[in-house]
Amino acid sequence: MAGTGKAHLRGNEALLTVEDLTVEFPAGRKAVVNAVSGISLDVLEGETLGVVGESGCGKSTTGRAIMQLPPPTSGSVIFDGMEMTGLSKEELRRSRTRMQMIFQDPISSLNPRRKVHDIVAEGLSIWHNDSGHSAKQKVHEVLEAVGLDPETVADRRPHQFSGGQCQRICIARALVLDPKVIICDEPVSALDVSVQAQILNLLEDMKERYGLTLVFIAHDLAVVKNVSDRVIVMYLGKICEVAAPDNLYSHPAHPYTDVLLASIPEPDPQQPVPERQIAGELPSPINPPSGCRFRTRCEKAQEICSTEEPTLREISTNHYVACHFPNETPTKVINTF
């Protein structure tokens, strides 16, 4: 499976474009973890891009690398016509006012010593030198927008809130500087199912109200389908498939996507455990397989898969896959609920 290839990119119309992004981390003597290996993606203004895959596939690392947290090993990140990787520290700090991030663990991402008002208002005090009446109005506005009563919560601290309430505070903190893009790094994975629905609905409301563009990272396939306009499937630091959610979920072309969807259990205790599951162990990112990285777990793997890395190519309208032997006929529609 390959992340190479740029057939799916949409040119200058994209608000955010990532090309040949590579992120590597040192791991002992001369060893290197290949967290992300040369992937390319783009997001149109007002779009929600879903990024999905197994744990360890590089989803969160991709989101952080876009934010330059830390900067990628190589590659290009162009946001609103500006090359992020070439910015000075001060320019990079200023650019982040227009690109915010919601983290996976809402409780640990909030300073336990500070009051909610101070947490949400911090960006305003830094960038607008504003800690007076107008800042208080802005903080109250975003807190109300995310469903919290400012008069009740402003003087309380994070430990006094539930996980769902803390995530609402994190969303308010991200919104207060009027960003154009928000990267959501598994924002509901640490929450109860009932609270997940509330936060997802809130993100949709905030997207419409503030004109946001979202990069939504998750491993929950049903969640990604419901919130995304376009979905990218990742495996071991590479992109294997890109498509609109309805097309991807009804006609998965890559063997990995197909098995991933087929592994979703039916919400019925009478239904048998899914027979089609991904075989074998996830290979080490320190020494990934040659050619197609999924070949060691793929039923369709042949000799060419070990010697030649497939590139992303269009197999139907706006549906791209990186596979030598993609599914030729539509498969059964998978119920993701």
Side-chain angles (χ1 to χ4, degrees):
M1 173 183 20
T4 54
K6 302 176 184 178
H8 59 298
L9 298 184
R10 292 164 288 187
N12 296 330
E13 59 182 310
L15 176 63
L16 174 66
T17 301
V18 176
E19 295 189 30
D20 303 320
L21 187 75
T22 298
V23 182
E24 298 174 344
F25 300 110
R29 293 184 178 180
K30 299 183 180 179
V32 173
V33 175
N34 301 279
V36 180
S37 302
I39 71 170
S40 299
L41 57 89
D42 62 7
V43 193
L44 303 182
E45 187 167 0
E47 186 179 59
T48 297
L49 175 69
V51 183
V52 68
E54 291 178 273
S55 296
C57 72
K59 307 184 300 296
S60 295
T61 302
T62 297
R64 289 174 176 269
I66 292 172
M67 290 285 295
Q68 312 295 299
L69 293 171
T73 305
S74 64
S76 171
V77 179
I78 300 174
F79 170 53
D80 202 13
M82 178 174 56
E83 173 58 69
M84 299 280 289
T85 58
L87 298 180
S88 66
K89 289 184 178 180
E90 181 61 23
E91 290 172 332
L92 183 58
R93 289 180 67 242
R94 291 187 178 278
S95 72
R96 290 197 183 120
T97 62
R98 300 188 302 141
M99 184 187 293
Q100 293 288 301
M101 193 164 191
I102 300 172
F103 296 94
Q104 180 174 357
D105 187 347
I107 297 175
S108 65
S109 68
L110 299 174
N111 188 334
R113 297 185 177 184
R114 306 195 69 183
K115 296 179 180 179
V116 169
H117 177 276
D118 297 331
I119 291 172
V120 177
E122 185 175 13
L124 294 174
S125 63
I126 292 173
W127 293 111
H128 299 290
N129 193 25
D130 189 352
S131 57
H133 181 68
S134 61
K136 184 176 181 179
Q137 282 187 319
K138 181 64 175 179
V139 171
H140 281 208
E141 176 194 323
V142 295
L143 286 174
E144 287 178 349
V146 300
L148 296 173
D149 179 10
E151 299 297 336
T152 303
V153 306
D155 291 328
R156 297 165 65 186
R157 290 179 170 80
H159 73 273
Q160 296 174 281
F161 297 93
S162 66
Q165 290 173 318
C166 284
Q167 194 62 288
R168 290 175 185 271
I169 296 168
C170 292
I171 295 171
R173 178 178 59 181
L175 291 173
V176 77
L177 289 175
D178 296 320
K180 297 187 71 171
V181 173
I182 295 183
I183 297 176
C184 307
D185 183 13
E186 303 198 34
V188 297
S189 64
L191 307 177
D192 294 337
V193 175
S194 60
V195 180
Q196 287 183 16
Q198 296 173 17
I199 297 300
L200 291 173
N201 291 334
L202 174 61
L203 287 172
E204 286 296 306
D205 292 342
M206 295 302 99
K207 177 186 174 183
E208 183 176 351
R209 178 171 179 173
Y210 292 98
L212 299 173
T213 301
L214 303 180
V215 177
F216 193 93
I217 299 167
H219 59 259
D220 189 319
L221 296 160
V223 168
V224 171
K225 180 182 180 183
N226 286 332
V227 303
S228 303
D229 300 304
R230 203 184 201 202
V231 177
I232 284 177
V233 182
M234 290 187 65
Y235 178 84
L236 204 63
K238 294 282 191 177
I239 292 176
C240 62
E241 192 164 357
V242 182
D246 289 341
N247 195 13
L248 181 78
Y249 282 63
S250 61
H251 304 152
H254 197 284
Y256 172 66
T257 310
D258 199 4
V259 177
L260 198 65
L261 291 173
S263 299
I264 302 174
E266 295 281 350
D268 182 353
Q270 303 301 323
Q271 291 291 328
V273 176
E275 295 181 1
R276 299 187 60 208
Q277 299 185 10
I278 302 175
E281 296 293 330
L282 186 71
S284 170
I286 296 177
N287 186 27
S290 61
C292 173
R293 293 193 175 182
F294 186 59
R295 65 177 177 81
T296 58
R297 307 169 74 188
C298 181
E299 297 176 350
K300 294 186 174 183
Q302 298 186 27
E303 180 64 27
I304 190 175
C305 300
S306 63
T307 58
E308 183 178 331
E309 183 179 29
T311 58
L312 284 162
R313 57 190 174 91
E314 189 172 24
I315 58 170
S316 63
T317 304
N318 296 323
H319 193 156
Y320 303 85
V321 65
C323 180
H324 293 299
F325 307 103
N327 296 329
E328 298 294 339
T329 57
T331 57
K332 177 185 175 182
V333 177
I334 304 298
N335 180 13
T336 57
F337 303 96

